[in-house]
PDB file of all heavy atoms in Angstrom:
ATOM      1  N   ALA D   1     -35.177 -16.916-200.419  1.00  0.00           N
ATOM      2  CA  ALA D   1     -33.959 -16.224-199.983  1.00  0.00           C
ATOM      3  C   ALA D   1     -32.870 -17.221-199.603  1.00  0.00           C
ATOM      4  O   ALA D   1     -31.680 -16.990-199.861  1.00  0.00           O
ATOM      5  CB  ALA D   1     -34.273 -15.308-198.797  1.00  0.00           C
ATOM      6  N   VAL D   2     -33.272 -18.331-198.978  1.00  0.00           N
ATOM      7  CA  VAL D   2     -32.300 -19.366-198.608  1.00  0.00           C
ATOM      8  C   VAL D   2     -31.649 -19.945-199.861  1.00  0.00           C
ATOM      9  O   VAL D   2     -30.412 -20.051-199.945  1.00  0.00           O
ATOM     10  CB  VAL D   2     -32.976 -20.498-197.805  1.00  0.00           C
ATOM     11  CG1 VAL D   2     -31.969 -21.617-197.527  1.00  0.00           C
ATOM     12  CG2 VAL D   2     -33.547 -19.962-196.497  1.00  0.00           C
ATOM     13  N   TRP D   3     -32.445 -20.308-200.859  1.00  0.00           N
ATOM     14  CA  TRP D   3     -31.891 -20.905-202.070  1.00  0.00           C
ATOM     15  C   TRP D   3     -31.094 -19.895-202.881  1.00  0.00           C
ATOM     16  O   TRP D   3     -30.129 -20.266-203.575  1.00  0.00           O
ATOM     17  CB  TRP D   3     -33.010 -21.527-202.915  1.00  0.00           C
ATOM     18  CG  TRP D   3     -33.586 -22.741-202.266  1.00  0.00           C
ATOM     19  CD1 TRP D   3     -34.862 -22.925-201.813  1.00  0.00           C
ATOM     20  CD2 TRP D   3     -32.889 -23.956-201.949  1.00  0.00           C
ATOM     21  NE1 TRP D   3     -35.007 -24.169-201.240  1.00  0.00           N
ATOM     22  CE2 TRP D   3     -33.806 -24.815-201.312  1.00  0.00           C
ATOM     23  CE3 TRP D   3     -31.584 -24.399-202.139  1.00  0.00           C
ATOM     24  CZ2 TRP D   3     -33.460 -26.087-200.865  1.00  0.00           C
ATOM     25  CZ3 TRP D   3     -31.232 -25.661-201.695  1.00  0.00           C
ATOM     26  CH2 TRP D   3     -32.170 -26.496-201.073  1.00  0.00           C
ATOM     27  N   LEU D   4     -31.454 -18.620-202.784  1.00  0.00           N
ATOM     28  CA  LEU D   4     -30.653 -17.581-203.425  1.00  0.00           C
ATOM     29  C   LEU D   4     -29.278 -17.503-202.777  1.00  0.00           C
ATOM     30  O   LEU D   4     -28.260 -17.331-203.456  1.00  0.00           O
ATOM     31  CB  LEU D   4     -31.361 -16.223-203.318  1.00  0.00           C
ATOM     32  CG  LEU D   4     -30.622 -15.023-203.923  1.00  0.00           C
ATOM     33  CD1 LEU D   4     -30.395 -15.228-205.415  1.00  0.00           C
ATOM     34  CD2 LEU D   4     -31.410 -13.742-203.681  1.00  0.00           C
ATOM     35  N   GLY D   5     -29.233 -17.644-201.443  1.00  0.00           N
ATOM     36  CA  GLY D   5     -27.957 -17.663-200.740  1.00  0.00           C
ATOM     37  C   GLY D   5     -27.112 -18.855-201.152  1.00  0.00           C
ATOM     38  O   GLY D   5     -25.890 -18.738-201.311  1.00  0.00           O
ATOM     39  N   VAL D   6     -27.744 -20.005-201.336  1.00  0.00           N
ATOM     40  CA  VAL D   6     -27.027 -21.204-201.787  1.00  0.00           C
ATOM     41  C   VAL D   6     -26.450 -20.976-203.183  1.00  0.00           C
ATOM     42  O   VAL D   6     -25.276 -21.282-203.448  1.00  0.00           O
ATOM     43  CB  VAL D   6     -27.968 -22.431-201.792  1.00  0.00           C
ATOM     44  CG1 VAL D   6     -27.294 -23.623-202.477  1.00  0.00           C
ATOM     45  CG2 VAL D   6     -28.375 -22.795-200.370  1.00  0.00           C
ATOM     46  N   PHE D   7     -27.266 -20.432-204.084  1.00  0.00           N
ATOM     47  CA  PHE D   7     -26.804 -20.161-205.447  1.00  0.00           C
ATOM     48  C   PHE D   7     -25.641 -19.168-205.446  1.00  0.00           C
ATOM     49  O   PHE D   7     -24.644 -19.358-206.151  1.00  0.00           O
ATOM     50  CB  PHE D   7     -27.960 -19.610-206.299  1.00  0.00           C
ATOM     51  CG  PHE D   7     -27.538 -19.200-207.681  1.00  0.00           C
ATOM     52  CD1 PHE D   7     -27.404 -20.144-208.691  1.00  0.00           C
ATOM     53  CD2 PHE D   7     -27.250 -17.875-207.972  1.00  0.00           C
ATOM     54  CE1 PHE D   7     -26.996 -19.770-209.966  1.00  0.00           C
ATOM     55  CE2 PHE D   7     -26.845 -17.491-209.242  1.00  0.00           C
ATOM     56  CZ  PHE D   7     -26.720 -18.442-210.240  1.00  0.00           C
ATOM     57  N   SER D   8     -25.767 -18.098-204.651  1.00  0.00           N
ATOM     58  CA  SER D   8     -24.711 -17.080-204.584  1.00  0.00           C
ATOM     59  C   SER D   8     -23.405 -17.683-204.087  1.00  0.00           C
ATOM     60  O   SER D   8     -22.318 -17.357-204.585  1.00  0.00           O
ATOM     61  CB  SER D   8     -25.137 -15.937-203.660  1.00  0.00           C
ATOM     62  OG  SER D   8     -26.317 -15.333-204.109  1.00  0.00           O
ATOM     63  N   THR D   9     -23.506 -18.564-203.104  1.00  0.00           N
ATOM     64  CA  THR D   9     -22.321 -19.207-202.551  1.00  0.00           C
ATOM     65  C   THR D   9     -21.648 -20.105-203.571  1.00  0.00           C
ATOM     66  O   THR D   9     -20.414 -20.100-203.723  1.00  0.00           O
ATOM     67  CB  THR D   9     -22.688 -20.030-201.296  1.00  0.00           C
ATOM     68  OG1 THR D   9     -23.306 -19.178-200.331  1.00  0.00           O
ATOM     69  CG2 THR D   9     -21.457 -20.665-200.672  1.00  0.00           C
ATOM     70  N   LEU D  10     -22.438 -20.890-204.298  1.00  0.00           N
ATOM     71  CA  LEU D  10     -21.882 -21.759-205.333  1.00  0.00           C
ATOM     72  C   LEU D  10     -21.235 -20.939-206.443  1.00  0.00           C
ATOM     73  O   LEU D  10     -20.134 -21.275-206.913  1.00  0.00           O
ATOM     74  CB  LEU D  10     -22.986 -22.637-205.926  1.00  0.00           C
ATOM     75  CG  LEU D  10     -23.422 -23.842-205.092  1.00  0.00           C
ATOM     76  CD1 LEU D  10     -24.639 -24.499-205.719  1.00  0.00           C
ATOM     77  CD2 LEU D  10     -22.280 -24.845-204.954  1.00  0.00           C
ATOM     78  N   PHE D  11     -21.891 -19.873-206.860  1.00  0.00           N
ATOM     79  CA  PHE D  11     -21.351 -18.995-207.901  1.00  0.00           C
ATOM     80  C   PHE D  11     -20.005 -18.420-207.469  1.00  0.00           C
ATOM     81  O   PHE D  11     -19.032 -18.419-208.227  1.00  0.00           O
ATOM     82  CB  PHE D  11     -22.350 -17.863-208.176  1.00  0.00           C
ATOM     83  CG  PHE D  11     -21.899 -16.898-209.235  1.00  0.00           C
ATOM     84  CD1 PHE D  11     -22.086 -17.180-210.583  1.00  0.00           C
ATOM     85  CD2 PHE D  11     -21.299 -15.703-208.887  1.00  0.00           C
ATOM     86  CE1 PHE D  11     -21.666 -16.293-211.563  1.00  0.00           C
ATOM     87  CE2 PHE D  11     -20.869 -14.806-209.856  1.00  0.00           C
ATOM     88  CZ  PHE D  11     -21.063 -15.094-211.200  1.00  0.00           C
ATOM     89  N   PHE D  12     -19.963 -17.950-206.226  1.00  0.00           N
ATOM     90  CA  PHE D  12     -18.730 -17.372-205.694  1.00  0.00           C
ATOM     91  C   PHE D  12     -17.633 -18.423-205.578  1.00  0.00           C
ATOM     92  O   PHE D  12     -16.463 -18.149-205.868  1.00  0.00           O
ATOM     93  CB  PHE D  12     -18.999 -16.741-204.328  1.00  0.00           C
ATOM     94  CG  PHE D  12     -17.749 -16.281-203.632  1.00  0.00           C
ATOM     95  CD1 PHE D  12     -17.028 -15.188-204.092  1.00  0.00           C
ATOM     96  CD2 PHE D  12     -17.285 -16.951-202.500  1.00  0.00           C
ATOM     97  CE1 PHE D  12     -15.878 -14.776-203.455  1.00  0.00           C
ATOM     98  CE2 PHE D  12     -16.133 -16.536-201.860  1.00  0.00           C
ATOM     99  CZ  PHE D  12     -15.424 -15.443-202.333  1.00  0.00           C
ATOM    100  N   LEU D  13     -17.987 -19.638-205.162  1.00  0.00           N
ATOM    101  CA  LEU D  13     -17.003 -20.707-205.013  1.00  0.00           C
ATOM    102  C   LEU D  13     -16.328 -21.024-206.350  1.00  0.00           C
ATOM    103  O   LEU D  13     -15.095 -21.048-206.442  1.00  0.00           O
ATOM    104  CB  LEU D  13     -17.680 -21.965-204.460  1.00  0.00           C
ATOM    105  CG  LEU D  13     -16.804 -23.227-204.379  1.00  0.00           C
ATOM    106  CD1 LEU D  13     -15.619 -23.011-203.457  1.00  0.00           C
ATOM    107  CD2 LEU D  13     -17.629 -24.421-203.919  1.00  0.00           C
ATOM    108  N   PHE D  14     -17.126 -21.237-207.378  1.00  0.00           N
ATOM    109  CA  PHE D  14     -16.550 -21.583-208.683  1.00  0.00           C
ATOM    110  C   PHE D  14     -15.751 -20.417-209.261  1.00  0.00           C
ATOM    111  O   PHE D  14     -14.683 -20.611-209.843  1.00  0.00           O
ATOM    112  CB  PHE D  14     -17.657 -22.003-209.653  1.00  0.00           C
ATOM    113  CG  PHE D  14     -18.219 -23.368-209.359  1.00  0.00           C
ATOM    114  CD1 PHE D  14     -19.547 -23.519-208.982  1.00  0.00           C
ATOM    115  CD2 PHE D  14     -17.422 -24.499-209.438  1.00  0.00           C
ATOM    116  CE1 PHE D  14     -20.072 -24.767-208.695  1.00  0.00           C
ATOM    117  CE2 PHE D  14     -17.934 -25.763-209.159  1.00  0.00           C
ATOM    118  CZ  PHE D  14     -19.260 -25.894-208.790  1.00  0.00           C
ATOM    119  N   LEU D  15     -16.257 -19.205-209.101  1.00  0.00           N
ATOM    120  CA  LEU D  15     -15.567 -18.046-209.657  1.00  0.00           C
ATOM    121  C   LEU D  15     -14.241 -17.802-208.947  1.00  0.00           C
ATOM    122  O   LEU D  15     -13.203 -17.597-209.591  1.00  0.00           O
ATOM    123  CB  LEU D  15     -16.453 -16.806-209.548  1.00  0.00           C
ATOM    124  CG  LEU D  15     -15.914 -15.535-210.214  1.00  0.00           C
ATOM    125  CD1 LEU D  15     -15.754 -15.740-211.707  1.00  0.00           C
ATOM    126  CD2 LEU D  15     -16.830 -14.358-209.928  1.00  0.00           C
ATOM    127  N   SER D  16     -14.251 -17.821-207.616  1.00  0.00           N
ATOM    128  CA  SER D  16     -13.033 -17.542-206.859  1.00  0.00           C
ATOM    129  C   SER D  16     -11.966 -18.610-207.097  1.00  0.00           C
ATOM    130  O   SER D  16     -10.764 -18.301-207.141  1.00  0.00           O
ATOM    131  CB  SER D  16     -13.343 -17.426-205.359  1.00  0.00           C
ATOM    132  OG  SER D  16     -13.844 -18.647-204.841  1.00  0.00           O
ATOM    133  N   GLN D  17     -12.390 -19.851-207.267  1.00  0.00           N
ATOM    134  CA  GLN D  17     -11.413 -20.905-207.528  1.00  0.00           C
ATOM    135  C   GLN D  17     -10.833 -20.805-208.944  1.00  0.00           C
ATOM    136  O   GLN D  17      -9.693 -21.199-209.186  1.00  0.00           O
ATOM    137  CB  GLN D  17     -12.051 -22.277-207.313  1.00  0.00           C
ATOM    138  CG  GLN D  17     -12.405 -22.561-205.861  1.00  0.00           C
ATOM    139  CD  GLN D  17     -11.250 -22.306-204.918  1.00  0.00           C
ATOM    140  OE1 GLN D  17     -10.213 -22.967-204.965  1.00  0.00           O
ATOM    141  NE2 GLN D  17     -11.409 -21.316-204.025  1.00  0.00           N
ATOM    142  N   SER D  18     -11.624 -20.253-209.867  1.00  0.00           N
ATOM    143  CA  SER D  18     -11.110 -20.077-211.231  1.00  0.00           C
ATOM    144  C   SER D  18      -9.997 -19.039-211.270  1.00  0.00           C
ATOM    145  O   SER D  18      -9.106 -19.107-212.121  1.00  0.00           O
ATOM    146  CB  SER D  18     -12.244 -19.672-212.177  1.00  0.00           C
ATOM    147  OG  SER D  18     -12.636 -18.317-211.971  1.00  0.00           O
ATOM    148  N   TRP D  19     -10.031 -18.056-210.343  1.00  0.00           N
ATOM    149  CA  TRP D  19      -8.973 -17.042-210.293  1.00  0.00           C
ATOM    150  C   TRP D  19      -7.604 -17.679-210.078  1.00  0.00           C
ATOM    151  O   TRP D  19      -6.595 -17.198-210.578  1.00  0.00           O
ATOM    152  CB  TRP D  19      -9.236 -16.039-209.170  1.00  0.00           C
ATOM    153  CG  TRP D  19     -10.523 -15.294-209.280  1.00  0.00           C
ATOM    154  CD1 TRP D  19     -11.261 -15.082-210.406  1.00  0.00           C
ATOM    155  CD2 TRP D  19     -11.238 -14.664-208.217  1.00  0.00           C
ATOM    156  NE1 TRP D  19     -12.384 -14.356-210.113  1.00  0.00           N
ATOM    157  CE2 TRP D  19     -12.405 -14.086-208.777  1.00  0.00           C
ATOM    158  CE3 TRP D  19     -11.016 -14.530-206.846  1.00  0.00           C
ATOM    159  CZ2 TRP D  19     -13.327 -13.387-208.010  1.00  0.00           C
ATOM    160  CZ3 TRP D  19     -11.928 -13.828-206.081  1.00  0.00           C
ATOM    161  CH2 TRP D  19     -13.087 -13.266-206.663  1.00  0.00           C
ATOM    162  N   LEU D  20      -7.591 -18.758-209.296  1.00  0.00           N
ATOM    163  CA  LEU D  20      -6.322 -19.383-208.917  1.00  0.00           C
ATOM    164  C   LEU D  20      -5.688 -20.170-210.054  1.00  0.00           C
ATOM    165  O   LEU D  20      -4.519 -20.553-209.971  1.00  0.00           O
ATOM    166  CB  LEU D  20      -6.547 -20.301-207.705  1.00  0.00           C
ATOM    167  CG  LEU D  20      -7.242 -19.672-206.490  1.00  0.00           C
ATOM    168  CD1 LEU D  20      -7.338 -20.687-205.363  1.00  0.00           C
ATOM    169  CD2 LEU D  20      -6.511 -18.423-206.023  1.00  0.00           C
ATOM    170  N   VAL D  21      -6.449 -20.433-211.116  1.00  0.00           N
ATOM    171  CA  VAL D  21      -5.939 -21.197-212.244  1.00  0.00           C
ATOM    172  C   VAL D  21      -5.149 -20.308-213.209  1.00  0.00           C
ATOM    173  O   VAL D  21      -4.270 -20.775-213.931  1.00  0.00           O
ATOM    174  CB  VAL D  21      -7.103 -21.893-212.985  1.00  0.00           C
ATOM    175  CG1 VAL D  21      -6.593 -22.718-214.160  1.00  0.00           C
ATOM    176  CG2 VAL D  21      -7.883 -22.777-212.015  1.00  0.00           C
ATOM    177  N   TYR D  22      -5.453 -19.018-213.194  1.00  0.00           N
ATOM    178  CA  TYR D  22      -4.756 -18.097-214.100  1.00  0.00           C
ATOM    179  C   TYR D  22      -3.262 -18.013-213.778  1.00  0.00           C
ATOM    180  O   TYR D  22      -2.846 -18.178-212.626  1.00  0.00           O
ATOM    181  CB  TYR D  22      -5.355 -16.697-213.999  1.00  0.00           C
ATOM    182  CG  TYR D  22      -6.709 -16.547-214.664  1.00  0.00           C
ATOM    183  CD1 TYR D  22      -7.879 -16.734-213.933  1.00  0.00           C
ATOM    184  CD2 TYR D  22      -6.808 -16.214-216.004  1.00  0.00           C
ATOM    185  CE1 TYR D  22      -9.126 -16.600-214.531  1.00  0.00           C
ATOM    186  CE2 TYR D  22      -8.049 -16.077-216.615  1.00  0.00           C
ATOM    187  CZ  TYR D  22      -9.199 -16.270-215.874  1.00  0.00           C
ATOM    188  OH  TYR D  22     -10.428 -16.134-216.471  1.00  0.00           O
ATOM    189  N   VAL D  23      -2.479 -17.759-214.806  1.00  0.00           N
ATOM    190  CA  VAL D  23      -1.044 -17.514-214.633  1.00  0.00           C
ATOM    191  C   VAL D  23      -0.851 -16.000-214.551  1.00  0.00           C
ATOM    192  O   VAL D  23      -1.146 -15.284-215.506  1.00  0.00           O
ATOM    193  CB  VAL D  23      -0.231 -18.072-215.812  1.00  0.00           C
ATOM    194  CG1 VAL D  23       1.248 -17.751-215.620  1.00  0.00           C
ATOM    195  CG2 VAL D  23      -0.459 -19.572-215.940  1.00  0.00           C
ATOM    196  N   PRO D  24      -0.393 -15.491-213.403  1.00  0.00           N
ATOM    197  CA  PRO D  24      -0.292 -14.036-213.235  1.00  0.00           C
ATOM    198  C   PRO D  24       0.831 -13.429-214.071  1.00  0.00           C
ATOM    199  O   PRO D  24       1.823 -14.100-214.404  1.00  0.00           O
ATOM    200  CB  PRO D  24      -0.005 -13.885-211.742  1.00  0.00           C
ATOM    201  CG  PRO D  24       0.673 -15.149-211.365  1.00  0.00           C
ATOM    202  CD  PRO D  24       0.036 -16.216-212.199  1.00  0.00           C
ATOM    203  N   SER D  25       0.667 -12.166-214.399  1.00  0.00           N
ATOM    204  CA  SER D  25       1.704 -11.427-215.104  1.00  0.00           C
ATOM    205  C   SER D  25       2.915 -11.254-214.199  1.00  0.00           C
ATOM    206  O   SER D  25       2.803 -11.261-212.968  1.00  0.00           O
ATOM    207  CB  SER D  25       1.164 -10.051-215.519  1.00  0.00           C
ATOM    208  OG  SER D  25       2.212  -9.178-215.874  1.00  0.00           O
ATOM    209  N   GLU D  26       4.076 -11.085-214.791  1.00  0.00           N
ATOM    210  CA  GLU D  26       5.292 -10.862-214.001  1.00  0.00           C
ATOM    211  C   GLU D  26       5.222  -9.537-213.232  1.00  0.00           C
ATOM    212  O   GLU D  26       5.962  -9.335-212.272  1.00  0.00           O
ATOM    213  CB  GLU D  26       6.520 -10.870-214.915  1.00  0.00           C
ATOM    214  CG  GLU D  26       6.487  -9.806-216.000  1.00  0.00           C
ATOM    215  CD  GLU D  26       7.688  -9.873-216.926  1.00  0.00           C
ATOM    216  OE1 GLU D  26       8.398 -10.898-216.899  1.00  0.00           O
ATOM    217  OE2 GLU D  26       7.914  -8.902-217.653  1.00  0.00           O
ATOM    218  N   ASN D  27       4.325  -8.655-213.667  1.00  0.00           N
ATOM    219  CA  ASN D  27       4.157  -7.370-212.976  1.00  0.00           C
ATOM    220  C   ASN D  27       3.071  -7.418-211.904  1.00  0.00           C
ATOM    221  O   ASN D  27       2.823  -6.413-211.231  1.00  0.00           O
ATOM    222  CB  ASN D  27       3.819  -6.268-213.987  1.00  0.00           C
ATOM    223  CG  ASN D  27       4.948  -6.021-214.959  1.00  0.00           C
ATOM    224  OD1 ASN D  27       6.110  -5.961-214.561  1.00  0.00           O
ATOM    225  ND2 ASN D  27       4.627  -5.902-216.250  1.00  0.00           N
ATOM    226  N   ASP D  28       2.422  -8.572-211.771  1.00  0.00           N
ATOM    227  CA  ASP D  28       1.360  -8.704-210.781  1.00  0.00           C
ATOM    228  C   ASP D  28       1.950  -8.654-209.370  1.00  0.00           C
ATOM    229  O   ASP D  28       3.028  -9.191-209.114  1.00  0.00           O
ATOM    230  CB  ASP D  28       0.615 -10.026-210.977  1.00  0.00           C
ATOM    231  CG  ASP D  28      -0.424 -10.269-209.900  1.00  0.00           C
ATOM    232  OD1 ASP D  28      -1.536  -9.738-210.024  1.00  0.00           O
ATOM    233  OD2 ASP D  28      -0.098 -10.980-208.920  1.00  0.00           O
ATOM    234  N   PHE D  29       1.222  -8.012-208.459  1.00  0.00           N
ATOM    235  CA  PHE D  29       1.683  -7.933-207.074  1.00  0.00           C
ATOM    236  C   PHE D  29       0.631  -8.418-206.077  1.00  0.00           C
ATOM    237  O   PHE D  29       0.881  -8.457-204.875  1.00  0.00           O
ATOM    238  CB  PHE D  29       2.067  -6.482-206.725  1.00  0.00           C
ATOM    239  CG  PHE D  29       0.914  -5.515-206.790  1.00  0.00           C
ATOM    240  CD1 PHE D  29       0.146  -5.255-205.673  1.00  0.00           C
ATOM    241  CD2 PHE D  29       0.598  -4.882-207.985  1.00  0.00           C
ATOM    242  CE1 PHE D  29      -0.921  -4.372-205.725  1.00  0.00           C
ATOM    243  CE2 PHE D  29      -0.460  -3.994-208.054  1.00  0.00           C
ATOM    244  CZ  PHE D  29      -1.228  -3.735-206.929  1.00  0.00           C
ATOM    245  N   ILE D  30      -0.544  -8.821-206.557  1.00  0.00           N
ATOM    246  CA  ILE D  30      -1.632  -9.177-205.650  1.00  0.00           C
ATOM    247  C   ILE D  30      -1.986 -10.662-205.678  1.00  0.00           C
ATOM    248  O   ILE D  30      -2.631 -11.180-204.771  1.00  0.00           O
ATOM    249  CB  ILE D  30      -2.888  -8.335-205.984  1.00  0.00           C
ATOM    250  CG1 ILE D  30      -3.874  -8.301-204.806  1.00  0.00           C
ATOM    251  CG2 ILE D  30      -3.592  -8.885-207.238  1.00  0.00           C
ATOM    252  CD1 ILE D  30      -3.390  -7.520-203.637  1.00  0.00           C
ATOM    253  N   PHE D  31      -1.539 -11.392-206.718  1.00  0.00           N
ATOM    254  CA  PHE D  31      -1.975 -12.776-206.895  1.00  0.00           C
ATOM    255  C   PHE D  31      -1.601 -13.653-205.705  1.00  0.00           C
ATOM    256  O   PHE D  31      -2.380 -14.520-205.296  1.00  0.00           O
ATOM    257  CB  PHE D  31      -1.376 -13.366-208.174  1.00  0.00           C
ATOM    258  CG  PHE D  31      -1.907 -14.737-208.504  1.00  0.00           C
ATOM    259  CD1 PHE D  31      -3.138 -14.895-209.105  1.00  0.00           C
ATOM    260  CD2 PHE D  31      -1.161 -15.878-208.203  1.00  0.00           C
ATOM    261  CE1 PHE D  31      -3.632 -16.166-209.401  1.00  0.00           C
ATOM    262  CE2 PHE D  31      -1.638 -17.144-208.491  1.00  0.00           C
ATOM    263  CZ  PHE D  31      -2.881 -17.284-209.100  1.00  0.00           C
ATOM    264  N   GLY D  32      -0.431 -13.436-205.134  1.00  0.00           N
ATOM    265  CA  GLY D  32      -0.003 -14.253-203.994  1.00  0.00           C
ATOM    266  C   GLY D  32      -0.949 -14.123-202.819  1.00  0.00           C
ATOM    267  O   GLY D  32      -1.294 -15.121-202.164  1.00  0.00           O
ATOM    268  N   SER D  33      -1.380 -12.907-202.551  1.00  0.00           N
ATOM    269  CA  SER D  33      -2.307 -12.672-201.439  1.00  0.00           C
ATOM    270  C   SER D  33      -3.677 -13.276-201.738  1.00  0.00           C
ATOM    271  O   SER D  33      -4.307 -13.882-200.852  1.00  0.00           O
ATOM    272  CB  SER D  33      -2.452 -11.164-201.194  1.00  0.00           C
ATOM    273  OG  SER D  33      -1.203 -10.607-200.834  1.00  0.00           O
ATOM    274  N   ILE D  34      -4.141 -13.101-202.984  1.00  0.00           N
ATOM    275  CA  ILE D  34      -5.419 -13.689-203.382  1.00  0.00           C
ATOM    276  C   ILE D  34      -5.379 -15.207-203.219  1.00  0.00           C
ATOM    277  O   ILE D  34      -6.318 -15.826-202.716  1.00  0.00           O
ATOM    278  CB  ILE D  34      -5.739 -13.327-204.853  1.00  0.00           C
ATOM    279  CG1 ILE D  34      -6.002 -11.827-204.989  1.00  0.00           C
ATOM    280  CG2 ILE D  34      -6.918 -14.140-205.376  1.00  0.00           C
ATOM    281  CD1 ILE D  34      -7.270 -11.352-204.344  1.00  0.00           C
ATOM    282  N   LYS D  35      -4.279 -15.809-203.636  1.00  0.00           N
ATOM    283  CA  LYS D  35      -4.139 -17.261-203.544  1.00  0.00           C
ATOM    284  C   LYS D  35      -4.139 -17.723-202.091  1.00  0.00           C
ATOM    285  O   LYS D  35      -4.735 -18.747-201.747  1.00  0.00           O
ATOM    286  CB  LYS D  35      -2.843 -17.702-204.235  1.00  0.00           C
ATOM    287  CG  LYS D  35      -2.702 -19.209-204.362  1.00  0.00           C
ATOM    288  CD  LYS D  35      -1.496 -19.583-205.210  1.00  0.00           C
ATOM    289  CE  LYS D  35      -1.405 -21.090-205.400  1.00  0.00           C
ATOM    290  NZ  LYS D  35      -0.245 -21.475-206.237  1.00  0.00           N
ATOM    291  N   THR D  36      -3.460 -16.954-201.234  1.00  0.00           N
ATOM    292  CA  THR D  36      -3.428 -17.302-199.812  1.00  0.00           C
ATOM    293  C   THR D  36      -4.821 -17.314-199.209  1.00  0.00           C
ATOM    294  O   THR D  36      -5.191 -18.218-198.450  1.00  0.00           O
ATOM    295  CB  THR D  36      -2.549 -16.311-199.037  1.00  0.00           C
ATOM    296  OG1 THR D  36      -1.210 -16.366-199.538  1.00  0.00           O
ATOM    297  CG2 THR D  36      -2.548 -16.638-197.550  1.00  0.00           C
ATOM    298  N   VAL D  37      -5.615 -16.315-199.573  1.00  0.00           N
ATOM    299  CA  VAL D  37      -6.972 -16.202-199.019  1.00  0.00           C
ATOM    300  C   VAL D  37      -7.895 -17.260-199.595  1.00  0.00           C
ATOM    301  O   VAL D  37      -8.554 -18.009-198.860  1.00  0.00           O
ATOM    302  CB  VAL D  37      -7.555 -14.791-199.285  1.00  0.00           C
ATOM    303  CG1 VAL D  37      -9.023 -14.743-198.863  1.00  0.00           C
ATOM    304  CG2 VAL D  37      -6.749 -13.743-198.544  1.00  0.00           C
ATOM    305  N   PHE D  38      -7.949 -17.369-200.913  1.00  0.00           N
ATOM    306  CA  PHE D  38      -8.989 -18.170-201.537  1.00  0.00           C
ATOM    307  C   PHE D  38      -8.619 -19.637-201.744  1.00  0.00           C
ATOM    308  O   PHE D  38      -9.495 -20.452-202.026  1.00  0.00           O
ATOM    309  CB  PHE D  38      -9.414 -17.537-202.861  1.00  0.00           C
ATOM    310  CG  PHE D  38     -10.149 -16.247-202.669  1.00  0.00           C
ATOM    311  CD1 PHE D  38      -9.529 -15.033-202.943  1.00  0.00           C
ATOM    312  CD2 PHE D  38     -11.443 -16.232-202.194  1.00  0.00           C
ATOM    313  CE1 PHE D  38     -10.194 -13.841-202.744  1.00  0.00           C
ATOM    314  CE2 PHE D  38     -12.121 -15.052-201.997  1.00  0.00           C
ATOM    315  CZ  PHE D  38     -11.496 -13.847-202.272  1.00  0.00           C
ATOM    316  N   SER D  39      -7.352 -19.984-201.583  1.00  0.00           N
ATOM    317  CA  SER D  39      -7.007 -21.402-201.662  1.00  0.00           C
ATOM    318  C   SER D  39      -7.488 -22.146-200.424  1.00  0.00           C
ATOM    319  O   SER D  39      -7.619 -23.372-200.432  1.00  0.00           O
ATOM    320  CB  SER D  39      -5.492 -21.583-201.816  1.00  0.00           C
ATOM    321  OG  SER D  39      -4.804 -21.056-200.694  1.00  0.00           O
TER     322      SER D  39
END
């Protein structure tokens, strides 16, 4: 269970940071908030 938690955390870290690399659409209204939280 401990190592599963480590794996889940690493998976989430890489995935959430990949969100910040995308270029948002001009109609997007949430990217700024997502960036504030996950950066």
Side-chain angles (χ1 to χ4, degrees):
V2 175
W3 290 116
L4 179 61
V6 171
F7 175 82
S8 301
T9 303
L10 282 172
F11 180 83
F12 173 70
L13 174 61
F14 286 116
L15 186 62
S16 63
Q17 292 309 295
S18 74
W19 300 338
L20 307 182
V21 181
Y22 286 92
V23 178
S25 164
E26 60 182 14
N27 295 316
D28 175 83
F29 63 91
I30 200 70
F31 187 79
S33 298
I34 293 291
K35 188 173 183 179
T36 299
V37 173
F38 291 106
S39 62

